[in-house]
Amino acid sequence: MTFYQDLEESFRNSSIPTPPPDGTMPAWKETKIVGKPLPRTDAFERVSGKAEFTYDVILPNMVYAAILRCPHAHAMVKQVDTSAVEKMPGVVGILTAQSPGTDIPWYGGRGGAQSKLFDPHCRYEGEEVAAVAAQTPYQAWDALKAIRVDYEVLPFVIDPEEALDPGAPKLFDSGNSTGGGMPSNRGDVDKGFAEADVVVEQTFRTSVQIHVPIEAHGSVVKWDGDKITIWDSTQGVYDASMLEFARTMNLPYNNVRVICRYVGGAFGSKLELGKYTVIAALLARQVGRPVKCMLSREETLLCVGNRPEARMTLKAGVKMDGTLTALKFENFTTPGAYSSMAFVSMIIQELYKCPNVSTVERGAYTNAGRARAFRAPGFPEGTWALEQMMDMLADKIGMDPVEFRLKNFAEISQNSMLGRGRPYSSAGLKDCLVEGAKKFGWKEARERKTDNHHIKRGFGMAAGLWMMGSGGPPYTAEVRMVPDGGVTIKTGAMDLGTGTKTAAAMVAAEELGIPYENIRIINADTAITPYASSSGGSMTLPSLVPAVRQGAWIVKRRIFDWAAEAMGVPAEDLKIDGGSVVSISSPEKKQTLEALFRSKNVLDVIAVGNREPNPADKVVMPFGAHFAEVEVNTGTGEVRVVRLVAANESGRVINLKTFENQVYGGMTMGLGLALTEKRVLDRTTGKMCNVNMHDYKVPTAMDVPANHEVVPIDLHDNDCNNVGCKGLGEPGHVPAPAAIANAIADAIGVQPTYGPIDNKTILELLGKGVNHAE
Amino acid sequence: MPENPKYKKDEFKQGLSRRGFLSSVGAGAVVAVSIKDPAPARAQEIEATGQTPEIQLHVNGSRRHLLVEPRWSLAYVLREVLGLTGTKIGCERGECGACTVLIDGKPQYSCLTLAVEAEGREITTIEGLLKGDKPGPVQQAFMEEDAFQCGYCTPGQIMAVEGLLRSTPRPTIDQIRTGVSGNLCRCGTYKHIFNAAEKASRLKNQGGAS
């Protein structure tokens, strides 16, 4: 998930030439703006309908593209006949595998392409076969229906374990195994189990969850000669879109401009270049007109990613005093038809102090839509297993679940990939557990067990962390001040709705001493804004705002140098207040910004702030502990989540309102993973049964508790970066599903190890006392 | 406006339930196909829908004369023809609510409403809630309560709350939940949406203009 790994050095160092002035930026002590629950800087745009999303881009002379997709789980395209389409009203362009420029390798990364833009070998339902452009989207859809495709339908496999059978249909000549296994070992698990007083082994499962951003994936493209402008619904105008598009189409980087000021949800599914972007570009070149290519809801459910299922086995050993002695973990999964990445075992290796840990992850390709990164890839799944196991162990040794977790609290990182043995810059898990339990009323709740009727009440909790919440370089922000104290920040960073623009404005206002309302943010336009890596991994905020602060600080220092000279006051004694530079020790000494700018005959001061490296001797990690109260109807199997509490340690809180909002959202998505969301494939056809938002159940306003609280934990982490903040989007999500599962276990006395825990699952658990998910 | 004899407007004029809508789509397709001679190939049948009768839409207080295909959804016409892109498309099948507008004051999915069905009725979109360039009370409440993240479902959520408050000026929390239950928010900001609906109710009842 190093989005910028392949980036050329010239890009990495693009903004280094602005050297920071001498001296170091001190950590903020008290803040006037940062930390307040201010309305977002772009709130008006988002509530007025004026925010321009990709779907909203309408260009003169624009036509609409639609993509024909394979309706079979596994098939070979023998022939594509578009003759009927050419005469249809409104149709202006047709693209098939025979069209020039379409022979483009796809999927599999640099390890070797597994497929093509239009691969005749269709390995899942929804694979791209052809595309058209027409005057209206209706005409484009008509045209798709008139394309005749001769398919040779092939046998398919959708179960990953069956996919490894020797006789299983093969997706690739080399077979269906995803290889690798990523084994990781520390200590000696056999020795650890021998030392344990109690050993428990259990299988766990989570189902395929789909991102379902409400704005579909898509692009609008416009060529001007050999230069192209792309409005793309993406998580990264640079890495995910511009750079990858330029490489794919063999264009100079500079010929590609990508814009995405607003994106209507993504959650990991928009971290890579879409085939639809390339298809739109090829059609636009063919017809000489701008092309809009937005996917349908059905296409987004089939074709642009999911959180893969996890089939996990966890064996754990513990002493009677609560000391974990060993964890042995296996995950078996399928990325679908093409390779993808998740880190299911990482949390097993990292969350608790444990000397002996062994993990392995295996997988097999299947004839199903391919996985993509999805909000903390692998972590909610691994946490589902680990945190249910922790409750099972606590029960066996007669220890309170919170106490048990505190007993195994880790202050240092143990995972070899993250840097074994280094301490956390702030080890927030303990405070999350303690403060979260306090806010939830954990002890009282667990003792209050009175329900004897058919509605059973349960209380559960789970902890979690996320491995990439540090953010890091390269990341840049240009800060420009004009004489009346107005400031424009330009950055390639995205704001997916997490409030990063707002945080940037607040940080700049804080550093400069100017009103928050003075700040204007221009973002996510590769022709205008400097480089930022893609928005993923909860990295945007902790990458962006330190760069913004540095840029603001450089601007301020330059103005202070002028003022020091003009006023005869040392620069260290100056602050900006009310549009003037004022002496802190003698406030009567002041000069307006206007006068200072005029004295130097400049209209603006511009600096580029760079994100400095993370501390080499520390591991920066955000933590969380989530608590849930549920009611389970033992007659119907219905689960109602009545209360949620989150304690999250993500360093300094920049904006309390957006902080809370982010965690509410993360836990709501976790509620979906735990209770309602599941991709259902038909075993007889391999096709997806619930290809719509009615049957694929995203949590609604009826499913979430109104009683939902967030406790921000701030341990004043001054080591992680110059603002002291860490990422939140993913750690605000990771523990929630397991917390809900543990609450259900508390209610019904059986651990619901297979998700999603729907009514049927509950009734089966109650009826048989063992778990049967299938 | 002269009546187009080939196009039976009245069939589209009724306020339709979702079930009624589905059956009328079937009927609409028959009407559309029968305009021309029966066509032999399937592709030819589809072609026949290129008819564009003129209709009049009342949108945000102004009257717009348009040529529309009978099959065009109101959402498509509002966005791609009139440029009112504040109304969003999320699913085009009546499941997510991003396209919610008010039709005669009631929240309706504009993706499940044909433009021809909406003729002559009062359509209010998110743009119509602005007072000049100032947010209306529901929009103001959504800003103050941070009742959105990405903002894509937000116009639909706001229209749902606006419609709720027009019929139920002081809703309970359960009425609010039900009022926005047809509007999915994948970012999961429901709690802030509930708060915003309550605040909007207060703002409106304090004598702010509707």
Side-chain angles (χ1 to χ4, degrees):
Chain A
M1 294 271 291
T2 45
F3 305 121
Y4 41 83
Q5 219 163 37
D6 301 321
L7 212 61
E8 278 72 358
E9 282 305 307
S10 59
F11 265 102
R12 279 173 179 272
N13 296 320
S14 58
S15 299
I16 298 295
T18 310
D22 295 338
T24 51
M25 234 180 313
W28 288 321
K29 292 194 181 76
E30 282 169 33
T31 55
K32 288 182 179 160
I33 294 165
V34 164
K36 284 195 175 161
L38 297 177
R40 296 187 192 216
T41 185
D42 55 3
F44 176 77
E45 287 83 344
R46 293 196 201 247
V47 302
S48 62
K50 290 180 189 293
E52 189 183 63
F53 294 83
T54 302
Y55 215 140
D56 302 333
V57 173
I58 297 171
L59 301 176
N61 207 26
M62 184 176 84
V63 292
Y64 297 82
I67 299 170
L68 182 69
R69 293 175 183 276
C70 175
H72 308 291
H74 199 189
M76 195 66 76
V77 174
K78 292 293 174 194
Q79 201 190 357
V80 179
D81 175 6
T82 60
S83 54
V85 180
E86 286 150 23
K87 288 166 255 145
M88 290 177 70
V91 174
V92 294
I94 301 169
L95 204 66
T96 68
Q98 270 64 53
S99 310
T102 57
D103 190 16
I104 297 172
W106 214 276
Y107 299 129
R110 286 179 174 46
Q114 295 177 310
S115 181
K116 297 201 284 188
L117 184 66
F118 295 126
D119 191 339
H121 187 173
C122 297
R123 296 178 180 86
Y124 71 92
E125 181 200 8
E127 196 104 64
E128 292 79 357
V129 175
V132 297
Q135 303 276 7
T136 70
Y138 294 88
Q139 290 169 326
W141 298 326
D142 287 349
L144 293 188
K145 289 178 190 151
I147 299 176
R148 314 255 171 224
V149 183
D150 181 11
Y151 292 103
E152 180 195 349
V153 179
L154 302 172
F156 64 88
V157 60
I158 53 171
D159 182 281
E161 287 172 55
E162 289 170 16
L164 290 184
D165 289 346
K170 277 194 171 50
L171 277 79
F172 302 100
D173 292 341
S174 55
N176 294 337
S177 170
T178 59
M182 297 195 295
S184 166
N185 293 293
R186 73 165 176 262
D188 178 345
V189 284
D190 292 333
K191 182 168 150 278
F193 288 127
E195 288 166 9
D197 295 318
V198 174
V199 175
V200 177
E201 184 168 357
Q202 177 69 46
T203 58
F204 300 89
R205 281 192 187 189
T206 57
S207 295
V208 173
Q209 185 183 30
I210 304 180
H211 306 75
V212 200
I214 308 293
E215 184 191 29
H217 296 59
S219 306
V220 179
V221 305
K222 174 175 177 284
W223 287 96
D224 296 291
D226 58 354
K227 297 191 177 62
I228 188 168
T229 304
I230 303 172
W231 290 261
D232 193 13
S233 187
T234 180
Q235 284 175 252
V237 288
Y238 278 97
D239 296 284
S241 196
M242 169 196 155
L243 300 172
E244 203 53 45
F245 181 86
R247 288 186 196 112
T248 302
M249 303 288 283
N250 288 316
L251 288 167
Y253 291 141
N254 218 27
N255 286 21
V256 182
R257 176 185 186 183
V258 177
I259 303 168
C260 182
R261 295 274 162 72
Y262 294 92
V263 54
F267 314 110
S269 69
K270 297 175 182 173
L271 274 170
E272 52 190 80
L273 182 68
K275 284 191 178 182
Y276 44 84
T277 312
V278 171
I279 287 169
L282 291 170
L283 280 167
R285 191 138 69 182
Q286 185 188 108
V287 306
R289 298 168 69 173
V291 169
K292 182 183 225 174
C293 183
M294 297 304 299
L295 300 193
S296 68
R297 179 52 52 192
E298 292 78 0
E299 290 175 286
T300 67
L301 288 164
L302 289 170
C303 306
V304 286
N306 55 67
R307 181 190 298 285
E309 64 175 292
R311 302 181 178 189
M312 303 170 281
T313 304
L314 179 58
K315 184 177 174 186
V318 66
K319 291 183 182 172
M320 287 310 289
D321 70 354
T323 309
L324 278 175
T325 61
L327 294 166
K328 187 174 182 214
F329 178 76
E330 270 186 54
N331 179 40
F332 187 72
T333 187
T334 173
Y338 302 103
S339 69
S340 180
M341 197 65 145
F343 310 90
V344 183
S345 59
M346 191 80 72
I347 193 128
I348 315 288
Q349 299 161 18
E350 185 72 358
L351 186 59
Y352 296 114
K353 194 161 61 185
C354 186
N356 309 301
V357 179
S358 149
T359 65
V360 66
E361 299 196 44
R362 295 178 303 117
Y365 295 112
T366 52
N367 295 111
R370 172 178 162 262
R372 289 188 179 184
F374 191 158
R375 202 169 194 165
F379 277 61
E381 302 96 299
T383 305
W384 178 264
L386 176 62
E387 287 299 85
Q388 292 204 57
M389 175 58 78
M390 290 296 280
D391 268 28
M392 293 165 77
L393 295 175
D395 186 54
K396 293 264 187 212
I397 61 171
M399 203 164 174
D400 174 82
V402 173
E403 289 303 317
F404 178 44
R405 286 167 173 85
L406 285 168
K407 169 88 184 168
N408 293 287
F409 166 66
E411 278 177 279
I412 59 165
S413 173
Q414 302 161 91
N415 168 286
S416 53
M417 184 172 145
L418 298 168
R420 185 183 293 169
R422 285 185 289 154
Y424 297 120
S425 61
S426 51
L429 184 58
K430 184 192 278 185
D431 295 77
C432 290
L433 289 165
V434 171
E435 296 304 317
K438 199 183 291 175
K439 173 63 93 178
F440 187 76
W442 173 255
K443 279 220 147 57
E444 305 78 355
R446 292 283 284 201
E447 282 156 16
R448 199 177 65 220
K449 300 288 271 179
T450 52
D451 39 24
N452 292 317
H453 48 85
H454 69 290
I455 306 271
K456 302 285 181 199
R457 189 169 288 265
F459 304 89
M461 58 81 53
L465 53 73
W466 166 240
M467 66 172 182
M468 296 201 300
S470 63
Y475 226 91
T476 50
E478 181 193 299
V479 180
R480 170 183 189 245
M481 185 183 270
V482 290
D484 64 356
V487 166
T488 301
I489 297 168
K490 290 183 190 168
T491 172
M494 315 299 300
D495 188 335
L496 306 178
T498 55
T500 46
K501 280 155 73 182
T502 301
M506 291 172 74
V507 163
E510 185 74 46
E511 183 59 32
L512 290 166
I514 61 171
Y516 166 63
E517 296 74 21
N518 281 21
I519 314 261
R520 179 174 190 170
I521 314 272
I522 307 289
N523 75 312
D525 179 339
T526 60
I528 297 172
T529 60
Y531 176 79
S533 56
S534 293
S535 258
S538 303
M539 301 196 296
T540 313
L541 179 87
S543 302
L544 171 63
V545 296
V548 167
R549 188 181 173 208
Q550 192 194 66
W553 186 66
I554 297 169
V555 165
K556 188 172 80 174
R557 287 294 301 255
R558 195 164 308 161
I559 293 167
F560 283 3
D561 285 348
W562 300 342
E565 189 189 310
M567 293 158 62
V569 175
E572 292 68 37
D573 185 41
L574 294 172
K575 64 173 182 180
I576 298 175
D577 191 6
S580 293
V581 178
V582 185
S583 160
I584 298 164
S585 59
S586 342
E588 72 282 0
K589 290 187 186 169
K590 61 163 90 171
Q591 279 235 8
T592 63
L593 288 167
E594 197 91 47
L596 285 165
F597 276 65
R598 198 178 301 131
S599 73
K600 294 291 171 186
N601 200 24
V602 295
L603 202 79
D604 51 18
V605 177
I606 302 174
V608 173
N610 276 270
R611 174 59 154 86
E612 287 168 281
N614 288 315
D617 56 343
K618 300 255 171 82
V619 171
V620 178
M621 187 81 75
F623 298 91
H626 291 175
F627 296 76
E629 177 178 345
V630 301
E631 286 176 357
V632 182
N633 185 323
T634 53
T636 64
E638 194 178 355
V639 176
R640 208 161 71 84
V641 178
V642 294
R643 188 161 67 100
L644 292 170
V645 169
N648 273 87
E649 195 268 316
S650 285
R652 186 192 289 276
V653 177
I654 309 292
N655 184 320
L656 188 59
K657 266 225 152 93
T658 58
F659 187 99
E660 289 176 345
N661 202 345
Q662 184 83 86
V663 179
Y664 294 143
M667 294 185 79
T668 301
M669 199 172 258
L671 188 155
L673 181 69
L675 301 180
T676 64
E677 294 184 43
K678 181 184 188 175
R679 181 183 72 182
V680 181
L681 298 181
D682 179 9
R683 291 188 66 84
T684 60
T685 63
K687 288 163 72 74
M688 183 174 165
C689 302
N690 51 348
V691 202
N692 59 71
M693 291 158 115
H694 187 85
D695 298 313
Y696 183 87
K697 295 190 181 303
V698 167
T700 75
M702 308 301 276
D703 300 315
V704 298
N707 192 346
H708 194 163
E709 288 180 286
V710 177
V711 186
I713 308 288
D714 183 359
L715 302 178
H716 308 292
D717 184 347
N718 289 326
D719 293 329
C720 58
N721 56 60
N722 66 31
V723 174
C725 62
K726 303 188 274 192
L728 179 64
E730 282 149 309
H733 168 57
V734 168
I740 292 168
N742 283 340
I744 292 171
D746 184 51
I748 65 172
V750 192
Q751 205 71 38
T753 53
Y754 283 23
I757 312 162
D758 54 15
N759 299 19
K760 181 168 156 273
T761 308
I762 292 282
L763 293 177
E764 280 170 353
L765 289 170
L766 289 169
K768 298 176 185 170
V770 292
N771 199 349
H772 289 277
E774 295 296 325
Chain B
M1 189 174 70
E3 187 84 356
N4 183 340
K6 290 179 182 168
Y7 159 54
K8 296 173 189 164
K9 254 194 250 177
D10 289 347
E11 295 192 18
F12 301 106
K13 286 234 169 156
Q14 313 305 318
L16 295 173
S17 68
R18 218 159 113 171
R19 183 179 295 274
F21 169 83
L22 292 172
S23 59
S24 82
V25 168
V30 171
V31 169
V33 171
S34 67
I35 291 169
K36 277 191 181 174
D37 295 328
R42 194 175 171 202
Q44 295 294 309
E45 286 175 28
I46 297 163
E47 256 179 66
T49 56
Q51 295 290 313
T52 53
E54 184 181 352
I55 63 164
Q56 194 181 64
L57 288 182
H58 302 178
V59 185
N60 299 333
S62 72
R63 281 161 200 254
R64 313 290 292 263
H65 292 272
L66 304 156
L67 298 174
V68 301
E69 285 189 28
R71 62 174 172 171
W72 286 359
S73 73
L74 178 61
Y76 171 72
V77 170
L78 288 172
R79 289 171 47 80
E80 305 284 331
V81 181
L82 295 178
L84 293 168
T85 54
T87 300
K88 301 304 179 194
I89 299 280
C91 65
E92 296 192 287
R93 49 187 294 157
E95 288 163 354
C96 77
C99 66
T100 304
V101 299
L102 300 187
I103 299 180
D104 293 336
K106 289 193 183 130
Q108 303 255 357
Y109 292 166
S110 63
C111 76
L112 277 195
T113 308
L114 297 172
V116 291
E117 280 182 273
E119 178 165 29
R121 300 166 72 189
E122 288 302 324
I123 302 158
T124 310
T125 70
I126 188 77
E127 291 91 347
L129 298 187
L130 293 170
K131 308 288 163 201
D133 220 11
K134 292 260 187 305
V138 181
Q139 291 166 315
Q140 183 67 35
F142 268 66
M143 289 172 68
E144 290 175 11
E145 293 299 323
D146 201 45
F148 55 87
Q149 284 181 35
C150 76
Y152 195 80
C153 75
T154 309
Q157 304 279 1
I158 289 172
M159 297 317 289
V161 171
E162 177 74 29
L164 170 70
L165 296 180
R166 287 190 188 185
S167 63
T168 314
R170 289 180 176 79
T172 63
I173 178 69
D174 284 337
Q175 286 171 318
I176 292 170
R177 269 179 198 279
T178 309
V180 297
S181 63
N183 295 74
L184 297 178
C185 172
R186 186 48 156 167
C187 299
T189 60
Y190 296 117
K191 179 175 171 171
H192 281 187
I193 292 170
F194 302 157
N195 294 349
E198 284 173 346
K199 175 169 267 185
S201 165
R202 289 198 299 278
L203 287 176
K204 281 196 168 216
N205 292 319
Q206 276 162 14
S210 70

